[in-house]
Each structure stands twice: as C-alpha cells, then as structure tokens.
Amino acid sequence: MIVYEKHVGAINLFGRAYGSALPRSMVLAVPVGMLTMFLQWDVPTREYLRAVQRHPNALMVVGTLLGIIIALRTNLSYARYWEGRTMVAQMSSKWSDASIQVVAFDEAATGEPAEHGIKFRAEFVHLMSLMHALAMQKLRGDSDINNLSVGSLVDIPTPKPSPDPGDVEEWYKCISLWDYFSLFPAKRHMKTYRRIFSLPVLGGISPEEREVLSQTEDRVHCVHCWLHRSLVARRMEGGIKVDAPVVSRIYQVLSDGMLGFENSYKLANTPFPFPYAQCITVFIYAVAFLITPALAVGWIDSLWMSGLVAFLMVLGYDMLNEVARDLEEPFRFDPNELPVWLFHHRFNARLVTTLCKSLMPEVGIT
Amino acid sequence: MIVYEKHVGAINLFGRAYGSALPRSMVLAVPVGMLTMFLQWDVPTREYLRAVQRHPNALMVVGTLLGIIIALRTNLSYARYWEGRTMVAQMSSKWSDASIQVVAFDEAATGEPAEHGIKFRAEFVHLMSLMHALAMQKLRGDSDINNLSVGSLVDIPTPKPSPDPGDVEEWYKCISLWDYFSLFPAKRHMKTYRRIFSLPVLGGISPEEREVLSQTEDRVHCVHCWLHRSLVARRMEGGIKVDAPVVSRIYQVLSDGMLGFENSYKLANTPFPFPYAQCITVFIYAVAFLITPALAVGWIDSLWMSGLVAFLMVLGYDMLNEVARDLEEPFRFDPNELPVWLFHHRFNARLVTTLCKSLMPEVGIT
Amino acid sequence: MIVYEKHVGAINLFGRAYGSALPRSMVLAVPVGMLTMFLQWDVPTREYLRAVQRHPNALMVVGTLLGIIIALRTNLSYARYWEGRTMVAQMSSKWSDASIQVVAFDEAATGEPAEHGIKFRAEFVHLMSLMHALAMQKLRGDSDINNLSVGSLVDIPTPKPSPDPGDVEEWYKCISLWDYFSLFPAKRHMKTYRRIFSLPVLGGISPEEREVLSQTEDRVHCVHCWLHRSLVARRMEGGIKVDAPVVSRIYQVLSDGMLGFENSYKLANTPFPFPYAQCITVFIYAVAFLITPALAVGWIDSLWMSGLVAFLMVLGYDMLNEVARDLEEPFRFDPNELPVWLFHHRFNARLVTTLCKSLMPEVGIT
Amino acid sequence: MIVYEKHVGAINLFGRAYGSALPRSMVLAVPVGMLTMFLQWDVPTREYLRAVQRHPNALMVVGTLLGIIIALRTNLSYARYWEGRTMVAQMSSKWSDASIQVVAFDEAATGEPAEHGIKFRAEFVHLMSLMHALAMQKLRGDSDINNLSVGSLVDIPTPKPSPDPGDVEEWYKCISLWDYFSLFPAKRHMKTYRRIFSLPVLGGISPEEREVLSQTEDRVHCVHCWLHRSLVARRMEGGIKVDAPVVSRIYQVLSDGMLGFENSYKLANTPFPFPYAQCITVFIYAVAFLITPALAVGWIDSLWMSGLVAFLMVLGYDMLNEVARDLEEPFRFDPNELPVWLFHHRFNARLVTTLCKSLMPEVGIT
Amino acid sequence: MIVYEKHVGAINLFGRAYGSALPRSMVLAVPVGMLTMFLQWDVPTREYLRAVQRHPNALMVVGTLLGIIIALRTNLSYARYWEGRTMVAQMSSKWSDASIQVVAFDEAATGEPAEHGIKFRAEFVHLMSLMHALAMQKLRGDSDINNLSVGSLVDIPTPKPSPDPGDVEEWYKCISLWDYFSLFPAKRHMKTYRRIFSLPVLGGISPEEREVLSQTEDRVHCVHCWLHRSLVARRMEGGIKVDAPVVSRIYQVLSDGMLGFENSYKLANTPFPFPYAQCITVFIYAVAFLITPALAVGWIDSLWMSGLVAFLMVLGYDMLNEVARDLEEPFRFDPNELPVWLFHHRFNARLVTTLCKSLMPEVGIT
C-alpha cells in the first residue's frame, strides 16, 4: 500500500512509477498510437476511413459504452479492495478483544491455577499470533511455513514496518524494469518477497506445531481448534476465573473474528468473474484496434494529433482497467496490496501490550 | 468458477471458450451483422435509410440509454453473485465454529458420558456434513438424494477438487458445441453433471435418514431440527460439559449459519424480476434489429465496415447482457457458478480436522 | 413473482403479457408516436420544427439526463425489492430457529411438565404461524382477518403453491384486459385476490383470538406479546427444561426476526418519496410530448420512421419507469410482487416439520 | 411524508403542489428562460452567440457532466433518507422488544414484589415513551419540552394520525404561497408546526422530570440512564423474575435500539458536506446562466422555442437538485420529512398494547 | 464540518471561501483558461487546431469518460466520509452504553464494596474518557499527549463547541490566504490547530498514565486492557453487583464499540488507493492541458468565450476532484473534517450525565 501526501494539484502523484498503472497501460496504448499514425500516413487507408464515416457518432457509441463499463468495473474493484480492508479490521479487532479478555480474565485466578497462569497466557497469546500469521499467509496466497519467523513475546520490534514495500531497500533492489509493466512479479520474485516480508509468530513455532500444520489443508481452522481446546482445558483446571457468561464472550469474539477472516479470504479465492473480465477485455481490444484508429484517422487531420488522441483514448481505458485488475485482488499484487505484514505487526504489538505492557498505572483523577 | 492468471494485457483471457459469453452473444450479433450488410448492399434501402436520417443522434439516444441500463444490470448481477459468495462464507464459517465448539466442549466430559463422547461427536459431525450437503444441493437446485456420496470421517480426500468444472475430464467430454451457445446445459447433461460433482456426506447416509429426508420438503431445516435434538439430549446425559452460557454459543452460531444459508437460498429461488428482464430484452431486440442497422447503413459508407460496426455494437450490448444473465444466478449455471462442490469439500475437511486431526501439539514458545 | 426459464437469446421472455411493463408503457408511447406522425404529416409544423433546430444536441441533452435518472431510479427500485426479499428471509429464518429451539428444548422436560408439553408446543407453533400470517397480511396491505384460513398442525399441504399467481386458474380468469394496462388491479379484484391466496394458520383461529386481534392496531406486535407471555409461563411451570442461557437464545432470535419484519414493513409503509416520483413524471411527460416529437420530426425525414423512433424512445423511458414503479413496492402489486403466500406456506411447512416430522432417525455412520 | 396512489401513467402526481420541487425550481428556471428569450430577441447578441459556436458539443460537455453529478447526488440523498427510515425502524423495533420483555418477565413475579409490579411496569412504559418522544424531538431539531403532550397509558388514541401533514387542517391553513418556493418554513411557522404535531408521552411528564431534562444537554441519554437504574432496582427488589441470562436480553435490545437512534441522529447533525453542496451549486449557476442561454440561443432559431428549451433544461437540473436538498435531511423539512409524530404514535400504541391489551386469549387449535 | 442553512436557490453557499473547493481548483483552471486564450490569440495555432479537427466528438469522448470517472470517485469519497461518521456513531453509542451499564450496575452494590463504589465509578468514567480521547487523537493523526487537556468529572462545559472550526476566533485568525488553495494546512498550523481543539480527559491524566501511554504504540488498545482489568478487579471485590449474564453485556458493548473505532481508524490509515488516484490525476492533466484547449480553440470562435469555456470545464472537473480528495479522509483536513472535538465533548457530556446528573426523579404518571 502506497501512502502519499496530498500536495496542491496532486502534482506529486506523477513522481512514482513503481505501483503505477501508467507503464502497464502503455503496453496497449503505444502500439495503438503507432498503428494510428501508420494508418494516417498511408494515404489510401486514410482516404478510405474518411470516406466511409459520414459521422463519428456511429463508432463513438461503442466507445462510450466501454467507458461506462470500465468505470463501473473500477468501482467494483475498489469495493472489493475496501471490503478486504474492512474484514481484516473486523478480524483483528475481534481477535484482539479475545486476547484482552482471556488475559484479563485469567489473571483473576487464585491459588494453584494462578501459578500456571503465566504459562497459559503466554501460550494463548502465541497461538493467537500463530493463527493471525497463518490467516495473513492465506490471504496473500503463501503456503510456505518458512515464511513465518520468530517474534518476541515481551518486546515490540521498532520501528514499525512501512506499509509501502518500495520503502524496503532489500526488496526495492529486486525490482526490475519488467516488473513495472506486469501486474505479477515473476514467481522467483514472489518467493523473495515473501521471505523479506516474513510474518513473526510470537514465541516461534515448535517442531510439533510445524509438523501438524504442514499436513493440514486449512491451517487457520486447525489453530482455531487448538485455541478452543486450550480454553476449555484452562477453564477446567481453574483458570479464566470469571463468571461463565463473561467467559462465553471469548467464544463470541473468536467466532466474529473468524467471520472477518472468512470474508477476507473469499476475496483471495474468488476472482472477479471470468466472463465479465473476458467481456471487458474483448471490448478493450476491439475498441483499441478497430474503433480508436478509425475515429482518430477519420476525424483528425494530422499525423501527430491523431496518434496522440488514439494514444490518450486507449491509455484512458486501459489505465483504468489496470487499476481495476490491481485492486480487485487486494491481498495479492505488490505494491498496491494491503500490507498484511503491517497488519500482522500491529496485531502482534497488541498481543505483547496485552500480555506484558498494560498493567494498570495509578489512574489520574484530579 | 473459472480461475485465471493475470498476464500482461490480459491477453490470456481470449483463450477460453467454455464459460465465455462471446459465443452466446454471437447468436444475436451475427444475424444483425448480416442483416446490416444486406441492407447496405440493397441500394434502394440504403438510399432510403440515408435520406431519412438528417443526424445520427436522434437514433443514438436510444442506444446510449440501453448502454447505461445494461451496464447497471450487469453490476446488479455481480452484486447478486457476490452476495451469494458472502452468504456461503457466513454459513460455512458459523457452522464450522459450531462444530469446533461442540467437539471441544464435549471432549471435556468425564466419567460415563465421556465414553459415549466419541460416538456422539462423530454423529454430530456427520449431521453437520449432511446439513451442509443438503444446503449445497438446494442452492444448485438439485433434489436427488443419490447425488450425495459417502465421505470418510477420518481422512480428507486429496487432491482438493478444482473450482473449474472444465478441469474435470469426465465432465469436459460431455460438453457439446451446443453448450457453448446456451446458458443452460440440456437437462440430461445436468443429471450427469450433478452425479459427477456429487457431494460426500461424512459417514454416509443411513436408510432411515434417506427415508425421512426423501419425504421432507425442507431437508436442511429437518436436519437442523435433528441437530438441536441431538445437542439437547447429549447435554442431558452429561456431555458438552462446559458452563451453560458457553453452551448457548453453539445455538447462536448455528442460527447465524442458518441465516447465511437462507440468504444464499433466496438467490436461488428469487429470479431477477421478470418485468425488468423482459424490458431489457425488448430493448436489446429493438436496438439490434431496428436502431443498429439503420445507424450503420445510414452513416457508414462501406459494406464490410457497416457490417462490422453493427456486429460490434450488438456484440457489446449482448455480451454484457449474457454476463449479467449468467452471474445473477450464482449457483445454477455451469461453469461460472460458484463451486458448491469445492465449498462442501472445504467444509468437510474442516469437520475432519476438528474431529480427528487437531489434537494440540506441544506449543512453541522459545 | 414470475419464474422464467433462460432460453437462448432470452427469446421466451416475449411470450408473457400478464406482469409485463410493455402494455403499461404503450399508454404513453402510442399517443406520442401518433402525435409525431401528425406533426410530420402537417407540412408547416414540420418545416417549422426543422428550421428552428440548428443541431439536435441542444434538445438531446434533456433526453440523456432523463435516461440517466430513470436508469438510476430503476436500480433504487430493485434495491427496495431486494431488501424486501432479504428482510423476509431474515424474519423467516430467525422465527424458524425460535420454533426449533422451543420445541427441542421443551421436549427435554420430564415429569409432570412433560405431560402438558405436547399441548404447549402445539399452541406455541400455532402462535408462530399466526404471527407470521399476520405479518404477511400487513406486508400486502390486507387487514381482513377472514383472509386467514385454517391449516393443519400435522400435515403439510401438497403440492406447494406456485409463486406465480398467473398459474392459479381461479385467479387468472379474473384478470381482464384492463389489468394489463394498470399497475393496480381494481379494488374489487384485490378482495378476490386476497381471498384466493389466503394464508393458513396452523390450528386455526379461536373466536377469542379473532376478537382481540380485530380490536388491535398492531396485530403482529400483539401476538409477539402473547408469545413472550406463553414462554415465561411455560418455563415457570417447568417446561423448556434447558439451561437458562440456552433459553435466552429464544428471545434473541424472536427479536432478530421481528427486526426483519420491521424492515420489510417499512417498505410497505414508506413509499418512494413523492417529490422524486413527481420530478421524474414531470420529466417524462416533458420529454414525451415536447422533446421527442421535436427531435423525431426535426431530424428524421419519413412519416413512419419518425413515428417509430418517437414510439421507441418513449417506450424505452416509460417501460423502465413502469418497472421501477412496480418493483419499488415489493409486496403490493400482482403479479410481480414477492409471493407472500408461498413464504407463508414454507414457514408453515417448517413448523409442521419441527413439531411432528423431525424425530431423529438412526444416523448413518458407516 | 406524502402517500400517493399509483394511477395509470402516474398522471395523478401532477395534482399536488405542497411538497413538490417544481415551484422551488421555477425560481431559477423562469429567469433563465426569460434571459434566453431576451438574448434571442436582441439581434447582435444572437448573431454573436451563433458566430462564436462552431459546434454545440464543446459547451454540452459541461452540461452532461452536471447531469451525471446531480443524478448521483440525488441518489446519495435518497440513500440518506432511506438510512433514516431504516434506523428508526431498528430503534422502534428493538425498544418495543425491550418493553415486551420487561412487561412479560415482570409479570412472572410472585409475592410482595408482584404487588408493586403494576406500578413499576407503568413507570417503565412511561419512561420508554418519554425516551422515544425525546428521541423524535431530537431528530426533528426541536428542543422545546412543551411540545411533549400527555398520553394515556391505557387507551390508544384513534384515529391514527396521517403521515401527510397536509391532511391536518390546522396546519394546512398556516401554509402561505411563500412556503411553496422555499424548503424551510419560516421560523414562526416551525413553532406552530411542532405544537400541532406534538408528541404525547404516556403518563405525562412530572415537574421533577421536566426540571432535570430541561437542564440536560443529551436528554435521550439521560432517560436511558434512568431506565437502567430502574431495571436494576426492580430486579433487586424481586421483580423481573426470570433467569438472569434472559434478563440480560433486555439490556441488549435497549443497546441495539440506542444504536438505531444514534444512526438516525447522525443524519440530523451531519449535513451533506459543504464543499460538495457548494460545488454543485456553483455548477448549476454556471450552467444555468452561461451554458444554457448560449446553447439555446446559438442552436435554436425561435424566440419561444429557445426560451422553452432553456427553461426545461434548468428546470430539469434544478428540480432534481431540489429533491436532493429535501431528501438529504429526512427529519427536518415539511412535508416530505419522515413522519416522526406517526412513528411515535405507533410506538406508543405498542406500549399500551404491551401493558394493557395483550393478555393471552384462549388460543385456537382445532 | 461546516453547518449551513438552506436558503432559496442555495444562494448562501457562495458566501463561504474557507472550506470551499473553488479556490483550490482555480490553481488548475486559471492557467488552462489563459493558455486557451493564448492559443486562440495566436492565429497559426488557432488555424491549425481548427483544420485538424473534423468533428469535436473524437476529442470529447475522453472528456466524457473523465467526467464519469470523477463523478464516481466523488461518490466513493462521500461513502468513505459517511462510513467514518457511521463508525464513530457506533463507537460512541456502544461505549456510552458500557458506561451506563457499569455505573448503573455498580450502584447496586451494598456493604463494603459500595464504599469504594464512587471511586471506582469515577475512575472507570475517567478511563472511558481517556480511551475516547486517544481514539479521537488517532483518527486525526495526532500523537501528542499534550493535546489532551483536563476535564471536570462533575460539570459539563458550556457552551457546546461549534462543529465549524471557522467559528473559533483563535483558529480563524491563524488561517492565511495560502490555506485557501491547499488541502493541507502547513505543519506549524496543524500544531496550533490541535492545541486549540484540544481534547479534555475527565479527571485529567496522571503522570503514571502519561508515562505508560507515551511508550505505547497502540494507546487505545492499552487503555482498553486497563478497562478490562479494572472491571474484573471490581467484580471480584464485590462491585458491579448484578447477575453475571448481565455483567457480560458490558464486555459485549465494549467490544462492539472497539469495532466501531477500528472501522473508523482504517479510514485514517488506508488512503484512497494510489494507482487510482494517480490514474485520475494523469487524466485530469491530460484533459486540462491537451483536450480542453484543443476543443475550446477549435470550436469556439471568440477569445473570451473560448477562455471561459476552457476555464469552466477544468473548474468543473477539478472542483469535483478536490471535493473527493477532501472528503475521502474524513478526519484529517480542516475545516471539512468531521469534528472530532465535538464528538469528544458529546461523549464526555454523556459520561458526566451518567455519573452525576441522572439520578432518577419522581416519574410522572398522571
């Protein structure tokens, strides 16, 4: 996710190429511009295209229709992007609440159970961190457990990671010119990328955990089961020593958080429908290679101007379409994806605060 | 559901015909293109159509209006498609939580009830799987119990089924050329289709269950009743040994999941309103057979060009409309429907994980 | 609600007149077409209209604006229609859950309370059916208690009623030609309609109930009170023998269902805002009688063609507007209204299943 | 809120001036029409305007853009209107449920607490009515406690008030011609209006209540506090004699209802953003006084026709904009505001039914 | 947030410059208007631009597309603005409920715990006020604890602060001419701004609190932890003396409020996606500097008129875009931001009412 300032006239937005849709849309706009200039230059073609068209609107109607379609598609894509953000917020918020509740409620235990309390709470927080890390991995389509690193249960790493992957030098120097023209980084790059933006699990992962998880299709669900078993067991041994109805809240917020995850994950596993995407692509190519040159050559009487107009029209349509293709999968494409590593850092920071850094100070009433 | 890569310029989207709206829209676009060429070729008609129109915009206004309407319809259809996806996510997520809770809570039983625990939990998981399978059947409009197969309670079948029915050879060889031009596969095909993409029920279906279900109008509801009765009975005999408020969560997540199902099912039983669909169809035919040829012949002075422009205009309108007709019923039309068999597989896999594969390992805190 | 197949090219949609917006929009389109032909035929007028307009776009801008407005209005109307469907789904789903819970929990009673159990459960199911029937009545604007018929508590009537009122012969023969041109059936017809599509209440209505209800403004609310009183009383006498937190679920799902009802009912008592509706109507008449003939006569040089184009333009605007007027009140206008009688049948069928037809069979684990 | 019938062709909508946006938009449209006619009549200006414009589209592009913007704004306004309606539905529904629960649960008390029951329930119902009345006052921007009248706890006043303020003679005769041209009635009128449409509080307001409330900024919140204190006290003295988890429902529905209120109230205290409103106003004036006359004079060659076209264009834009300005604040402007006095009547009627008129009759099972 | 009256014709909206998008869009519109006049004045360029364009529509298609895109973007921005408002409403409503519940429930304590009750409740209310103030700070991007001032626990400050920062003289005199042309006030200004609109914390902040908070990344979360610990401790020492299920409500409303905060905060930390914003900016500059002058010079034959038309077109696009840029971050830009200081005042006022000013008076039943 690229964070940008808002200067007068938004003039600063021109200065960034990595993450821009501009180079990607050149791939189509430049050839069309050149084709148009060629047709304009070739006198018989030009004369034919002019003689044939008695009015530009007969062709323009297709262009207008495409404009409406692409504009609406881009808004659908933004809606997907935003739904992703909202659902991650729900997941993180509710799972944070679960952690607060478990820790605060368990600290109330007395006697023998209280002795095991620290261990239980540390384990619980570890499992929450593990579940969140696995969830983030699933959202970004990454199934390699080795991309989970070890995080500390007592310290919050500083400084906070940047939301913009372009700020991380290690990654920025991997980007080649090719990556500016393609939505997808090469596979090899993706591997590097996920390694650099690894997701720390508080307390690390034990070999036993690693083994079970590597054999499981649905890892988030599996850790969710562990969390339930862990809570039941702890309650039975005398921990989480608050009234039962209060305990039941924990299960509710866990479930609400899981619904947030499911709803983010559906964005990762349900692409923008194929026939819709294909329909728009067919349209774009038809407009780019048939309608645009015919219009530009037919109604503009200058080699350079007709090329420029054709270039601008195709750039307009295609740039918008590239934005749509990018946003519609909010967790997958670098660098405009939602920063899952930063979300995970924030969640971990909360866990650490909950566990170790939120003892109540003397409150201030003056 | 067709999963596709995102190559530079989306060029790869052209390579797929099965599931495309392109052939379906040819049905209208090709005749109109030919009609237009005929009218252009027939000198008196051509001269008449030109003499009559003093400016193209008088006709174009109808075309523009249709463009706006179809673009908005397609977005409504996408909204239906996406609501289907979201509601299935809610159903699966909440029902998964119910299963986790029942299994985790019931394992806490001790003494005699603990002995029956394994049987109860297996039966419960079986009923959840049955309810989900019946729900999926209802969504895809399939009432034949024989399309439910037998699944194992302890093993997750590998590999995961593909979301794209075109990947399954047994089905792909059933598709005839005709199926490319029609939204609906022939009835005979649908039967084969549902048999191939059968829905496994963990533990199979007993003859008694089969008998009761085959006499029931609302099978999902019926199994929902069984689940409630089963939970009440188990609790009374000493199982699900956690505090009552915690137990009450189970009923809540069951109910939330059921709301997800109801909201998906409404998409299956409430079509896009007839008068709206008819209105758009009347419009499309009027534009295709009256406005388009008149515009193309009247304002384009070439046999081939006018045919091509008319073809493109109608293709544009109709392709978009076919996409809308396809997406608006997200569970019914192969191959762009949401993959209910895959959703069911994922749900089953979770049930198996919950029941058998999620014993807690030594957690990792370093 | 009209259910239709999806044939190639949607060609079958032309074959249905009852429920179509086409005849209704003819009411405006035919006179405008004839007016246009008259103006075209009257040479001085024609010459005047041509001399006056130096370019069609000065007039067309109003037409385009109207097109955008009506298209957006139709989508608002669809949104209302769909919200109606969604909220009925929520109501039915949550009230079904309430019934399942009450029946399943009450069956757990032992000793003396168990003896009265059957009677209590039958009465409760009866009250649920009554409340749902009254809710459906309110949605369709029907306050005559005599339109509630008697339903059996133990049998589900077959076959399921059709969602399409046009399928019911008794009603279909009441429809006169006039009804094709008007949104509203005549008042006398509405009475017949509601009698034919009566809503069965399981167990019938006692004279006492009838008396109280006929004196109450808000009948649904009144039965909701009864249900609460009945639950409290039953619990006090020893029924609904599960843990209190589990009992509290019943009240939650009742309340959630009631919210669904309130949200459906607001659609029935809050019309599409008057000034908006009036604004669009003024616009349509201005475009139909001023802009359209001026454009068609001014820029098309043929008696028949100008009439046809004017007819098509007005048909387009008005047909879409009629669709909007129909859908925006989803429970009121036959035959495109949501089928409340079918919703009620489904709800009743669930109640019967819950009460009598869902004893748990031998479950199947192989 | 104006309720209207739906006649053939919507022809009846023309017959209503009070509440219409038509007169308000005349304020702009008539001067522009006259200006246009003047420019047309003034030969040098007319000739200049024609010579200057080589094609109308250069100017039309601004008009089209404005059309899109206003159409979208009107839909935003409708969305605000509808959100207001939905949130009031949530508030009323949930607070009704709270009342039902308190009354039904409290009636279960036995022994001494039962004796005070009637008094407690009457007081509770009174407080609910007071809170709702204060909420309605806040929505309509009315802070005068004297506009709360006295209502009976045992009788529902008949007939039901009309949703349309124009139906109330006392008010209708206050409206002057000026009120047709302005969104806002004069301040003096508003006072009369709120007095006429006063909000009855069941049981009246005691001097003590009046005193506390008149010193409080947030009156709804204050009564909400009272309700909580009242419930806690009653439960402690032995009332509301059901299981604690069931009691906890009451607090949940109270809180859900309050969220509904907050969400309605935000519509009353957060205007449509100033810069957006200003931007549209600047646009409308620019189009009305610069673009429209230039287009109408430049491309239409008749004094009356050009005046008419200019009038229609501005009427179109401005009427739609006036609808938007009216709907965007759904609780403030007479007569298209949502009828808060009717909502309050309905809520009171429910309270009375709950308290006194819903004893359970002999249920009907045949 | 600027609150404005609605006069006839919205004429009063012109009178406000601070907060208007008009000056900001002049930055682009004035140069383009001047460029256009220059090109018009320069005869060879003018002749070239006319000779080149055989019809304006070839260029206009790009302008129309941009119009649609910007209109849709502005609506997305409004949706963000409104989501911010809604989520703050949820946060405040639910956290208010939490406070009411804690205070009302805790007052029920008797014996020794009752003695500490006043202190506990004051501390709790203080913590709620602190959490809300920190939340508001985070929303407006302000991390300086010194901007939290001291508020009284027993008195509500009067008068209520104005939602419009322009009404506060201390701030209004800081605004320089430059601030009218830029979205962002200068950094130095922001500091002053936050100091003037400081957020009072009821009871002030103790040094210990200040120390812990200044070391914490996520302060809101930290205070949320304190609140949980405080509640658990108080319940254990005998306070909050109501049934456990009722106590559990408190945790639910706290969690619901936190979800509201998370959902507001995501608006503050997730900008409108960079590629989308860049795409629109590229488009605007291309249209402003290439398309607009070419159209205006090519088709309007007057120095002043072409300059005016170009100016108006660019003003239209850019003013709308500036509105979008402003609204899309609803908590950050003065003076159109949502008034977080007023929200905080309202919340504080509720807390004080709950704690001290809502003892129940003699209720009024007549």
Side-chain angles (χ1 to χ4, degrees), chain A residues 178-231:
Chain A
W178 171 249
D179 289 322
Y180 287 77
F181 294 100
S182 165
L183 259 182
F184 260 119
K187 275 242 168 94
R188 183 177 45 82
H189 272 192
M190 283 309 288
K191 257 192 179 153
T192 320
Y193 177 75
R194 286 167 182 161
R195 189 180 43 70
I196 294 172
F197 295 95
S198 69
L199 304 164
V201 174
L202 303 188
I205 309 182
S206 73
E208 293 82 359
E209 286 175 333
R210 185 181 298 271
E211 202 193 315
V212 176
L213 289 176
S214 60
Q215 289 162 15
T216 306
E217 193 185 300
D218 192 342
R219 291 170 188 164
V220 179
H221 177 80
C222 185
V223 180
H224 203 215
C225 291
W226 296 351
L227 281 163
H228 276 75
R229 289 206 162 87
S230 158
L231 285 170

Side-chain angles (χ1 to χ4, degrees), chain D residues 27 48-49 51-55 57-59 61-62 65 68-69 72 76 80 83 119 122-123 126-127 150 153 178 181-184 202-206 208-209 212 216-218 221-222 224-226 228-230 232 235-236 244-245 247-249 251-252 255-256 258-259 262-263 266-267 269-279 281-283 285-286 290-291 294 322 325 328-329 333, chain E residues 1-11 13-14 16 19-22 50 55-57 60 64 67-68 71-72 74-75 78 81-82 85-86 89-90 93-94 96-97 100-101 103-105 107-108 156 160 242-243 245-246 249 252-253 298-302 305 308-309 312-313 316-317 319-320 323 326-327 336 338 345-346 349-350 353-355 357-366:
Chain D
V27 172
Y48 174 74
L49 283 172
V52 147
Q53 298 181 69
R54 299 180 61 226
H55 199 280
N57 287 10
L59 285 179
V61 77
V62 181
L65 178 55
I68 297 171
I69 295 168
L72 289 176
L76 285 186
R80 286 173 68 106
E83 186 179 4
K119 185 161 173 289
E123 285 178 12
H126 154 76
L127 286 177
V150 179
L153 278 159
W178 171 251
F181 294 100
S182 165
L183 259 181
F184 260 118
L202 301 188
I205 310 182
S206 73
E208 292 82 0
E209 287 174 335
V212 176
T216 306
E217 192 184 302
D218 193 340
H221 178 79
C222 185
H224 204 217
C225 292
W226 295 352
H228 276 75
R229 290 206 162 86
S230 160
V232 170
R235 174 90 176 156
M236 289 190 72
V247 172
S248 80
R249 288 284 137 225
Y251 296 100
Q252 181 173 13
S255 175
D256 291 349
M258 189 50 93
L259 184 59
E262 277 290 322
N263 273 321
K266 74 169 186 244
L267 287 158
N269 69 19
T270 313
F272 188 75
F274 167 76
Y276 203 168
Q278 192 199 39
C279 163
T281 307
V282 169
F283 236 126
Y285 278 82
L290 299 175
I291 309 283
E322 285 295 325
R325 297 210 309 152
E328 79 197 11
E329 301 201 52
F333 304 125
Chain E
M1 193 179 65
I2 298 167
V3 177
Y4 52 96
E5 293 294 307
K6 292 192 163 176
H7 293 185
V8 174
I11 203 83
L13 295 182
F14 287 102
R16 166 115 190 191
S20 167
L22 203 54
R50 290 204 188 147
H55 199 279
N57 288 9
M60 254 187 61
T64 307
I68 297 170
L72 289 175
T74 311
N75 274 27
Y78 176 80
Y81 178 84
W82 198 244
R85 183 63 189 89
T86 301
Q90 176 168 334
S93 176
K94 287 296 177 181
S96 296
D97 290 348
I100 292 184
Q101 291 176 357
V103 169
F105 298 165
E107 286 171 0
I156 302 170
K160 229 160 75 159
V242 288
D243 308 287
V246 177
R249 289 283 137 226
Q252 181 173 12
V253 289
W299 300 96
I300 293 178
D301 211 358
S302 141
M305 276 284 277
L308 181 68
V309 166
L312 279 179
M313 270 181 68
Y317 290 126
M319 192 163 48
L320 206 55
V323 169
D326 199 344
L327 296 183
N336 290 311
L338 289 167
H345 166 83
R346 280 197 202 127
R350 285 188 183 174
T353 302
T354 308
L355 190 65
K357 302 210 181 274
S358 60
L359 288 183
M360 224 173 131
E362 198 60 37
V363 300
I365 300 187
T366 51

Side-chain angles (χ1 to χ4, degrees), chain B residues 8 19 50 122 161 213 217 233 274 279 300 316 329 332:
Chain B
V8 175
R50 289 202 188 150
L213 289 176
E217 194 184 299
F274 167 77
C279 166
I300 292 176
E329 301 200 53
R332 276 188 78 185

Side-chain angles (χ1 to χ4, degrees), chain C residues 133-155:
Chain C
L134 290 167
M136 291 295 121
Q137 272 205 307
K138 230 173 161 174
L139 292 184
R140 76 179 185 191
D142 166 13
S143 63
D144 187 350
I145 295 188
N146 293 317
N147 292 329
L148 304 181
S149 57
V150 179
S152 159
L153 278 158
V154 292
D155 283 315

Side-chain angles (χ1 to χ4, degrees), chain E residues 116-250:
Chain E
H116 309 308
I118 293 171
K119 184 159 174 292
F120 162 74
R121 293 195 293 273
E123 285 178 10
F124 186 85
V125 158
H126 153 76
L127 285 177
M128 288 303 295
S129 176
L130 176 59
M131 180 162 70
H132 197 270
L134 291 168
M136 291 296 120
Q137 272 205 310
K138 230 172 159 172
L139 292 184
R140 76 179 186 191
D142 166 14
S143 61
D144 186 349
I145 294 187
N146 293 318
N147 292 329
L148 304 181
S149 57
V150 179
S152 158
L153 277 159
V154 292
D155 283 315
I156 302 170
T158 51
K160 229 160 75 159
S162 163
D164 183 351
D167 287 351
V168 177
E169 215 197 314
E170 198 181 345
W171 170 240
Y172 193 67
K173 64 188 184 202
C174 293
I175 305 163
S176 61
L177 191 65
W178 172 250
D179 289 322
Y180 287 78
F181 294 99
S182 164
L183 259 181
F184 260 119
K187 273 240 168 98
R188 183 177 45 81
H189 271 193
M190 284 308 289
K191 256 193 180 152
T192 319
Y193 178 75
R194 286 166 183 163
R195 189 178 44 68
I196 293 172
F197 296 94
S198 69
L199 304 165
V201 174
L202 302 188
I205 310 182
S206 73
E208 292 83 359
E209 286 174 335
R210 184 181 299 270
E211 202 194 313
V212 175
L213 289 176
S214 60
Q215 290 162 13
T216 307
E217 192 184 301
D218 192 341
R219 293 170 188 164
V220 179
H221 177 81
C222 185
V223 180
H224 203 215
C225 292
W226 295 352
L227 281 164
H228 276 75
R229 290 205 162 86
S230 159
L231 285 171
V232 170
R234 175 65 182 156
R235 174 89 176 157
M236 289 190 72
E237 76 177 27
I240 316 182
K241 194 69 192 175
V242 288
D243 308 287
V246 177
V247 172
S248 80
R249 289 283 137 226
I250 302 168

Side-chain angles (χ1 to χ4, degrees), chain B residues 189-343:
Chain B
H189 271 193
M190 283 308 290
K191 259 193 177 151
T192 319
Y193 178 75
R194 286 166 182 164
R195 190 179 45 69
I196 293 172
F197 295 95
S198 69
L199 304 164
V201 174
L202 303 188
I205 309 182
S206 74
E208 293 82 359
E209 287 175 333
R210 185 181 298 269
E211 202 194 313
V212 175
L213 289 176
S214 59
Q215 290 163 12
T216 306
E217 194 184 299
D218 192 341
R219 291 170 188 163
V220 178
H221 177 80
C222 185
V223 179
H224 203 215
C225 291
W226 295 352
L227 280 163
H228 276 76
R229 290 205 162 86
S230 159
L231 286 170
V232 171
R234 174 67 182 158
R235 175 86 176 159
M236 289 190 71
E237 75 175 28
I240 316 183
K241 194 70 192 174
V242 287
D243 308 288
V246 176
V247 172
S248 81
R249 288 284 136 228
I250 301 168
Y251 295 99
Q252 182 173 13
V253 290
L254 277 176
S255 176
D256 290 348
M258 188 49 92
L259 184 59
F261 169 64
E262 276 291 320
N263 273 321
S264 333
Y265 183 48
K266 76 170 184 245
L267 287 158
N269 70 19
T270 312
F272 188 75
F274 167 77
Y276 204 168
Q278 192 200 37
C279 166
I280 290 172
T281 308
V282 169
F283 237 127
I284 286 180
Y285 278 82
V287 167
F289 286 103
L290 299 176
I291 308 286
T292 306
L295 270 177
V297 173
W299 300 97
I300 292 176
D301 210 358
S302 141
L303 191 66
W304 288 103
M305 276 283 277
S306 67
L308 181 68
V309 166
F311 170 80
L312 279 178
M313 270 180 68
V314 175
L315 193 78
Y317 290 126
D318 202 42
M319 192 161 50
L320 207 54
N321 193 44
E322 286 294 327
V323 168
R325 297 211 308 154
D326 198 345
L327 297 182
E328 80 196 9
E329 301 200 53
F331 303 110
R332 276 188 78 185
F333 304 126
D334 165 66
N336 289 312
E337 71 169 323
L338 289 167
V340 296
W341 63 92
L342 177 59
F343 294 157

Side-chain angles (χ1 to χ4, degrees), chain E residues 263-305:
Chain E
N263 273 320
S264 332
Y265 183 49
K266 76 171 183 245
L267 287 158
N269 69 19
T270 314
F272 188 75
F274 167 77
Y276 204 168
Q278 192 199 39
C279 164
I280 289 173
T281 307
V282 169
F283 237 126
I284 286 181
Y285 278 82
V287 167
F289 286 103
L290 300 175
I291 309 283
T292 304
L295 269 177
V297 172
W299 300 96
I300 293 178
D301 211 358
S302 141
L303 191 66
W304 288 103
M305 276 284 277

